[in-house]
Amino acid sequence: MIASQLTPRSRLLLGPGPCDAHPRVLTAMTTPLLGHLDPQFLEIMTETQSMMREVFGTNNRLTFPISATGMAGMETCLVNLLEPDDTVVVCAKGFFGARMIDVAERTGARVIALHQPWGQAFDLNHLREVLKRERPKAFGIVQAETSTGVHQSLEGLGKLCQELGTLLIVDCVTSLGCTPLKVDDLKIDAAFSCSQKGLGCPPGLSPLTFSDRAVAALKARKSKVRSWYLDLTMIESYWGGDRSYHHTAPISMIYALREGLRIVLEEGLEARWARHFRNHVALKAGLEALGLNYIAAPGCQLPQLNAVHIPAGIEDIPNRKRMLIDFDIEIGGGLGDFKGKAWRIGLMGYNSKPSSVFQVLAALETVLRGAGLKVAAGSGVAAAEVAYGN
Ligand SMILES: *Cc1c(COP(=O)(O)O)cnc(C)c1O
């Protein structure tokens, strides 16, 4: 059997990721391959690392993309920084924090799991208290919890962690390229992200950065890192100094990331964060006009991930299917505690723009009215228009 030519319908990807890649990124990916040790490619690696540092807001020497998705970045941080006798405190306020607990437990370290009801952020005073009491080797937290649309403030945590000798590990998968993140200012020791959300690239890479303190902890390990592929002491010799072979770099994905980072820096980080916020404000006005309420409280709502309660009496799957089939728009459903109860609308990277806002609001209005909800014609779009005008 030979499958038919690859011609899927194009969609507008407004879920939690992947998001649409910037057209320039897709073009960059068609660049002919180079060998992974070709001097031209080594130069491309250096350029990519240098742009990654700028986008992360860091001078960390150990900054490079892991050749796999965001979860591999999470696993890389934990498996490299933890050994069986270590203690780590991990925070879960949603699906991805819960995953971090699971990944941490697999390292054999003693894991102290902190739970916050889904939809809420952690209280900083509570975190300070726990950290002072436990003095763990590492502390892991998600900045942008994609499952609930909650933003977690990291204010003061880095300084406290430094005083306590604790390594601060932050999941920046959905924050990088969307909302303010400055790794050095926040004194983050290990941060990881992905290519397919705020950076406007396809999935496949996990940008990662380690502070000098994290590198020192890595060097001080008593035992071998319990993963061959993700062992930074080995990958470092390819991406770090001597560029010696560890695994074959995914050449086309590095081209993609290089272009994605160029686009971020051309726009400017501050301008990019402001753009995400502006489009979120308009979308939020529209969603609320349609009767959709945010899960996260005002003040901790993520601009790039708008998670709303599905209105009473409205079905989840058939209506998301209508969005996809009738309007070619993908939005996300709920995960874990919010399965069947939430819709998640992503406005990330390339897709954070007025045309996405107006398209999704117009389609949602039609779908919701079709499902029996009373919504005034054009009310969502009109509210967004007013918000853009302000
Ligand atoms: C998407 C996401 C991940 C996982 O990334 P993958 O690229 O799917 O492996 C981890 N953490 C958060 C907060 C995410 O949103």
Side-chain angles (χ1 to χ4, degrees), residues 69-71 74 96 99 142 144 146 171 173-174 194 196-197:
T69 68
M71 283 308 302
M74 184 190 288
F96 290 102
R99 277 193 169 180
V142 178
T146 323
D171 176 329
V173 175
T174 299
C194 74
Q196 77 273 19
K197 296 183 187 180

Side-chain angles (χ1 to χ4, degrees), residues 33-53:
L33 296 183
L34 291 166
H36 66 118
L37 297 171
D38 184 310
Q40 291 186 96
F41 188 70
L42 300 184
E43 178 61 24
I44 288 167
M45 288 167 71
T46 305
E47 292 165 348
T48 304
Q49 287 178 279
S50 147
M51 289 191 290
M52 263 181 64
R53 286 188 191 99

Side-chain angles (χ1 to χ4, degrees), residues 267 271-280 349-350 352-353:
E267 179 175 12
R272 196 174 177 90
W273 298 335
R275 168 166 64 86
H276 279 80
F277 187 70
R278 207 164 49 243
N279 291 316
H280 155 74
Y350 179 63
S352 173
K353 53 188 173 185

